[in-house]
Amino acid sequence: MKQIFKLIIILLATTSLQAQNISNSPYSRFGLGELQSHFTPTYSAMGSVGAGVYNPLSVNFNNPASYTSVFRQRFTMQTGGAHTTNMMQTTDANQVTNFTNISHFVIGFPVTKWWGGSVGLLPYSDVAYSFNDEAPTGEQLYFEGQGGLSRFYIGNGFKPHKNISVGANINYLFGNLSTARKVIFSDENILNARQTDESLISGLYYDFGIMLHGELAGWNTSLGATYNNGSDVNAERSVLTETFRLNNLVESVEDTVKYETEDGLITLPSAIGVGFSASNDQWLIAADYNMENWSEFQSFEESDDLGNSTRMAVGLEFTPDRKAINKYTKMIRYRFGAYTSDTYLQLKNQQLKETAVSFGFGLPLKRSGTLLNLSAEFGQRGTTDEGLIKDNFARFKIGLVLSDIWFIKRKYD
């Protein structure tokens, strides 16, 4: 077990260093930024399903009712990282960007035979863009953004009946977002201008889940539903407007035109999801449907003209023989999936779509009892029509699932 913890430390340290990779996604300037994939490698490889999966071998924070599936007297910890490569494409140009970060750190544990819990830290969104344009009157316009939000949650699942589970997550959203806009004039006698907005965000929101689970015709089946209440979170914003001159590309501030701060609220979208799964000794099959009401989103009482998003996903896992100790390839979990989505981005009278296919593997590490999960997703978002940007992406994840016995009283002769 000590070697596994060393591996986790190396993984986290490496990922933290690589998180400085350059990313430039113009779409991240909308809403709260580029939303992160809230799925572990296990479920990312299966098309990003989760609302209906009741699996004791993996912590499924997408439906807190699933926490009751955790094996009794077993402590489960999951962590990992993700790397995304994007190729942004327009009708006459393209750009490749890379971004790496920690994808999840979650813990699942049983409390009693009818009560399970989980604690975790997940990325929520990232803002990272830098682009320029030219005004009809000749001025150069520059737009930049950076920052991100994270989500810390504490969840509990309860089983009031052997075939029914309910649960809830208390989520704390926190982080900061920064945007800057500049206007540079060709006439050196006119002062250039820039405005910087800094927003510090923190607050609680909740999500709930319910599951019906049992055996049907030799299969372990489950039907799940989730609900996110889309509450308001606190935000503190500062706005700084300055004039400046360019001296050999160095910006020299001439005057502060305005500096003001204000407290406000950010309204998160409500969301619902339904899912189904069926499993036996070899197969796990799952399907999801989710909808998020991003038209409700507001920041300091201002909307961002976002649309309601929907996503449909299907996935499967195949394990030839979990007990084939002497035939390792039969113990590997083979995973495949796909999803299609109408995103919340509504630009030039069209709602951008996103589609992806995925696959991955669950690799048992015999000596430690650990499971190494790998996933890959390949997809496309947007279009080059109407001067928009098509985003072709490849997303790779790596994760570890560690499980150990806890709260066992040892006996000595």
Side-chain angles (χ1 to χ4, degrees), residues 342-382:
D342 289 326
T343 72
Y344 62 73
L345 295 170
Q346 288 191 143
L347 304 172
K348 297 189 177 180
N349 298 320
Q350 56 182 316
Q351 188 164 11
L352 301 191
K353 295 184 178 295
E354 179 177 321
T355 58
V357 295
S358 60
F359 66 91
F361 308 95
L363 306 175
L365 305 182
K366 294 182 180 180
R367 294 184 179 180
S368 63
T370 302
L371 188 64
L372 175 65
N373 290 308
L374 305 173
S375 71
E377 300 171 76
F378 301 92
Q380 175 182 297
R381 176 181 57 174

Side-chain angles (χ1 to χ4, degrees), residues 317-353:
E317 175 186 273
F318 174 66
T319 309
D321 188 352
R322 298 176 189 271
K323 300 178 181 180
I325 299 177
N326 296 322
K327 295 181 179 179
Y328 183 78
T329 56
K330 289 189 175 182
M331 297 172 60
I332 295 175
R333 295 155 172 78
Y334 301 90
R335 301 171 179 135
F336 306 90
Y339 70 82
T340 180
S341 170
D342 289 326
T343 72
Y344 62 73
L345 295 170
Q346 288 191 143
L347 304 172
K348 297 189 177 180
N349 298 320
Q350 56 182 316
Q351 188 164 11
L352 301 191
K353 295 184 178 295

Side-chain angles (χ1 to χ4, degrees), residues 27 29 34 88 113 139 160 200 210 226 247 272 277 289 327 356 360 377 402:
Y27 290 140
R29 78 182 188 91
E34 187 88 4
M88 306 290 179
K113 63 180 181 180
E139 296 86 2
L200 184 64
I210 184 171
T226 60
N247 297 317
I272 59 172
S277 71
Y289 174 81
K327 295 181 179 179
E377 300 171 76
L402 300 95

Side-chain angles (χ1 to χ4, degrees), residues 299-316:
S299 178
F300 292 88
E301 299 183 350
E302 296 178 359
S303 65
D304 211 357
D305 295 325
L306 304 179
N308 295 335
S309 65
T310 59
R311 185 174 63 85
M312 298 180 63
V314 294
L316 62 88

Side-chain angles (χ1 to χ4, degrees), residues 82-142:
H83 173 85
T84 303
T85 296
N86 300 79
M87 187 179 77
M88 306 290 179
Q89 183 180 358
T90 64
T91 54
D92 55 4
N94 60 71
Q95 180 184 21
V96 176
T97 64
N98 295 278
F99 182 72
T100 305
N101 66 340
I102 296 174
S103 62
H104 63 287
F105 184 88
V106 299
I107 295 170
F109 52 89
V111 181
T112 69
K113 63 180 181 180
W114 49 266
W115 177 7
S118 179
V119 178
L121 179 64
L122 308 165
Y124 184 88
S125 68
D126 285 291
V127 174
Y129 64 86
S130 178
F131 60 93
N132 62 284
D133 199 357
E134 183 175 332
T137 51
E139 296 86 2
Q140 294 297 314
L141 309 176
Y142 293 85

Side-chain angles (χ1 to χ4, degrees), residues 203-231:
L204 297 175
Y205 71 96
Y206 310 89
D207 64 279
F208 309 89
I210 184 171
M211 279 189 163
L212 307 178
H213 45 80
E215 186 173 331
L216 181 65
W219 289 74
N220 296 314
T221 60
S222 60
L223 178 66
T226 60
Y227 172 71
N228 184 326
N229 71 323
S231 61

